[in-house]
Amino acid sequence: MKLFDALERFQNMDRRWIFLGMGLSILIPLLVTADCEFKVDERVQALYDTVEALPAGTTVFLSADFDPASRPELEPFFRANLDHLFRKDIKIISATLWEFAPPIVVPILHEIAAAHGKEYGVDYAFLGYKPGKELAIKAIGENIPKTFPVDYQGTPVEDLPVMQGFKQAKDFPLIVNVSAGFPGTREYVLQIQGQHNLTIISSCTAVSGPDYIPFYKAGQLAGLAAGMPGSAQYEKLVWADSEPPPGTRKLATQAINVLNMGHAFIIALILMGNIAYFLTKPRGGDDD
Amino acid sequence: MRSTIPLIITFFVGLFMVGEFFIPHWRYRIWTAELLEWGLILAAGAYMLGLANLIQVNLPKVMKKERDWGYKAVMLVSLVVTLFIGFHDGQHRHDDGAAYKWVFEFVFTPLNATMFALLAFYIASAAFRAFRARNVEATVLLVAACVVMLARVPMGEAIPVIGDYLPRFMNWIMDVPNIAARRAIFIGAALGAVATGLRVILGLERSHLGAD
């Protein structure tokens, strides 16, 4: 009887106990770090290989569409990708469709460019934010200088050496999209990928991953890194034989233990909840 | 006349923009690019409308001290302060030491990140209460969710014996049932969008004009 009551109480426990457990599952791995091995997903490998295949001196378009809420998931990929591109001497023209992205993107772009000795305007540029969502993506497909007449500092984009010869999306051998949601990868694929036959790679939040897998399988995305595990796998590939530049840490690799514990906690809760449910069910447990 | 002219404009502009996919000539695309730019200007203009609407809706409630007027007052004050420092800092708003950057880093970023981070706690609570193997469908959903959760993290790969198979099973779930369902949803939604687009172009759907 006591066990039955305990199981009943467990099923209806105050959710603050769950919040406490979840909080500890996040906090403990942050304080006690441990290395863990993981394999690289086929989609992340394809993403890495696509960047690796680019010859030095080419220019890519990087749409950094994220905000502070999605920053922990996407900043690690953004940093690793910038490092990957710059060390291969690839030039970057970046822009964003998210109004909260510029204050995050600009300092990281300058920091990693400086670590590689890159010069603003010559090796990279940030064109700023453009409202309009799908309309802005469509306009990037048609005419970038008209869509972004000036960069984020107010310099006419046609005066930037890095912009010479790049007028529309199809002029770039690769488009990188760091996507936290709408507008993002889905809209790039729907609006301009098919029409201009663009090569796009994407880093997205874990929750968007299942949405974008069909695009990868259909060849509309050349690679996909979803969520923190995707970023950690990309970090593993980018810094397989070297260390990150000074000031940059393998953020996603460090955070993977938090995911480990968090997922373990949720799975344990589900299992214990179901055990309690089946043990109490014959005696009038919740069976609706 | 108030609705006829917008309907005629919608009809011609809609047809013209669709035509871009069937007439891939550069002269045609100069015009579609021009229309796109008009669209971008209108989208930017919508922010001004949003601003006016926000003030129009909330200011009277604050003045009359209606329910929750305090929250609305905080929102309006934040709006005015952020707007003011944004204009004041101008092109230098992203520089170190700029007031706009301070507000972004120390007010907006923690609030925005906190809201998103809270999801982890609510998902844990919801998963505990909702994931019960009550019937076959719920059991399939529960098993798939647990496999994906376990295989997405290194812990799943480290489990003896099944560790090697878990990522393969997860990939099968993501690549086969997931894609089948997503494609069905995408195609359904796309057909719905085409139908809605046609109804708007032909003037059968008039809700965007403020009519039912």
Side-chain angles (χ1 to χ4, degrees), chain A residues 215-258:
Chain A
F215 297 140
Y216 169 76
K217 282 286 170 187
Q220 291 163 305
L221 287 179
L224 177 66
M228 196 76 82
S231 297
Q233 290 164 22
Y234 185 63
E235 283 181 348
K236 185 178 176 178
L237 293 169
V238 170
W239 295 309
D241 306 315
S242 62
E243 281 301 307
T248 297
R249 292 175 295 146
K250 295 179 183 175
L251 292 169
T253 310
Q254 288 177 343
I256 207 82
N257 269 322
V258 177

Side-chain angles (χ1 to χ4, degrees), chain B residues 1 7 17 21-22 30 36 38 44-45 49 52 58 75 107 128 132 134 139 154 165 169 172-173 202 209 212:
Chain B
M1 190 57 100
L7 282 174
M17 292 306 284
F21 290 88
F22 299 97
I30 286 175
L36 271 176
W38 292 8
L49 280 178
N58 291 289
M75 189 268 292
V107 180
F128 173 65
R132 292 278 192 272
R134 292 194 170 97
T139 310
Y165 300 101
F169 189 34
W172 180 83
I173 291 171
L202 296 173
L209 300 174
D212 290 331

Side-chain angles (χ1 to χ4, degrees), chain B residues 6 21 31 42 53 57 94 112 118 127 131 136 209:
Chain B
F21 290 88
W31 283 99
L42 285 173
N53 183 262
V57 169
H94 299 311
N112 193 223
L118 282 175
F131 273 139
V136 178
L209 300 174

Side-chain angles (χ1 to χ4, degrees), chain A residues 6-85:
Chain A
L7 291 170
E8 283 272 278
R9 276 204 306 278
F10 175 73
Q11 285 186 83
N12 299 309
M13 74 172 154
D14 190 332
R15 64 179 179 174
R16 282 174 292 186
W17 288 110
I18 300 174
F19 294 166
L20 179 68
M22 195 66 203
L24 291 174
S25 303
I26 293 167
L27 197 63
I28 292 168
L30 283 176
L31 298 174
V32 186
T33 55
D35 288 336
C36 51
E37 279 301 308
F38 51 87
K39 292 184 186 126
V40 175
D41 190 60
E42 166 216 335
R43 296 177 278 270
V44 181
Q45 185 68 53
L47 185 152
Y48 176 81
D49 293 343
T50 306
V51 178
E52 273 297 292
L54 293 172
T58 49
T59 306
V60 302
F61 185 81
L62 197 164
S63 188
D65 304 320
F66 59 105
D67 63 357
S70 50
R71 186 176 182 171
E73 268 189 291
L74 298 174
E75 185 185 330
F77 175 89
F78 184 58
R79 282 180 174 275
N81 187 239
L82 289 178
D83 192 57
H84 192 187
L85 293 168

Side-chain angles (χ1 to χ4, degrees), chain A:
Chain A
M1 195 62 176
K2 275 186 180 173
L3 177 68
F4 182 85
D5 292 341
L7 291 170
E8 283 272 278
R9 276 204 306 278
F10 175 73
Q11 285 186 83
N12 299 309
M13 74 172 154
D14 190 332
R15 64 179 179 174
R16 282 174 292 186
W17 288 110
I18 300 174
F19 294 166
L20 179 68
M22 195 66 203
L24 291 174
S25 303
I26 293 167
L27 197 63
I28 292 168
L30 283 176
L31 298 174
V32 186
T33 55
D35 288 336
C36 51
E37 279 301 308
F38 51 87
K39 292 184 186 126
V40 175
D41 190 60
E42 166 216 335
R43 296 177 278 270
V44 181
Q45 185 68 53
L47 185 152
Y48 176 81
D49 293 343
T50 306
V51 178
E52 273 297 292
L54 293 172
T58 49
T59 306
V60 302
F61 185 81
L62 197 164
S63 188
D65 304 320
F66 59 105
D67 63 357
S70 50
R71 186 176 182 171
E73 268 189 291
L74 298 174
E75 185 185 330
F77 175 89
F78 184 58
R79 282 180 174 275
N81 187 239
L82 289 178
D83 192 57
H84 192 187
L85 293 168
F86 278 140
R87 81 176 184 214
K88 282 183 62 68
D89 278 330
I90 292 166
K91 296 177 182 182
I92 300 168
I93 294 168
S94 185
T96 183
L97 308 172
W98 283 47
E99 60 268 49
F100 302 122
I104 305 171
V105 171
V106 171
I108 299 173
L109 201 52
H110 287 316
E111 179 197 320
I112 298 180
H116 289 270
K118 302 293 180 186
E119 191 184 339
Y120 185 81
V122 177
D123 300 304
Y124 71 104
F126 182 66
L127 308 184
Y129 160 67
K130 179 59 66 180
K133 305 183 188 333
E134 291 111 319
L135 275 176
I137 293 174
K138 196 95 180 87
I140 287 168
E142 296 294 334
N143 194 326
I144 293 172
K146 214 170 177 183
T147 311
F148 297 91
V150 293
D151 72 354
Y152 86 104
Q153 292 172 319
T155 311
V157 296
E158 287 177 332
D159 293 349
L160 297 170
V162 70
M163 279 297 293
Q164 302 311 309
F166 294 96
K167 200 180 171 196
Q168 52 192 160
K170 71 177 179 188
D171 295 334
F172 296 91
L174 178 67
I175 292 181
V176 183
N177 184 218
V178 185
S179 166
F182 174 81
T185 299
R186 183 179 153 86
E187 288 65 41
Y188 267 97
V189 169
L190 297 182
Q191 295 295 333
I192 59 174
Q193 190 280 328
Q195 193 180 9
H196 302 290
N197 195 23
L198 305 174
T199 304
I200 302 181
I201 56 172
S202 165
S203 165
C204 63
T205 51
V207 75
S208 307
D211 275 337
Y212 300 160
I213 290 173
F215 297 140
Y216 169 76
K217 282 286 170 187
Q220 291 163 305
L221 287 179
L224 177 66
M228 196 76 82
S231 297
Q233 290 164 22
Y234 185 63
E235 283 181 348
K236 185 178 176 178
L237 293 169
V238 170
W239 295 309
D241 306 315
S242 62
E243 281 301 307
T248 297
R249 292 175 295 146
K250 295 179 183 175
L251 292 169
T253 310
Q254 288 177 343
I256 207 82
N257 269 322
V258 177
L259 279 188
N260 256 339
M261 284 290 283
H263 283 208
F265 179 70
I266 294 175
I267 291 167
L269 273 181
I270 293 171
L271 286 178
M272 289 191 295
N274 276 283
I275 292 167
Y277 169 68
F278 279 108
L279 290 177
T280 54
K281 193 180 172 188
R283 298 178 64 178
D286 182 13
D287 60 355
D288 54 322

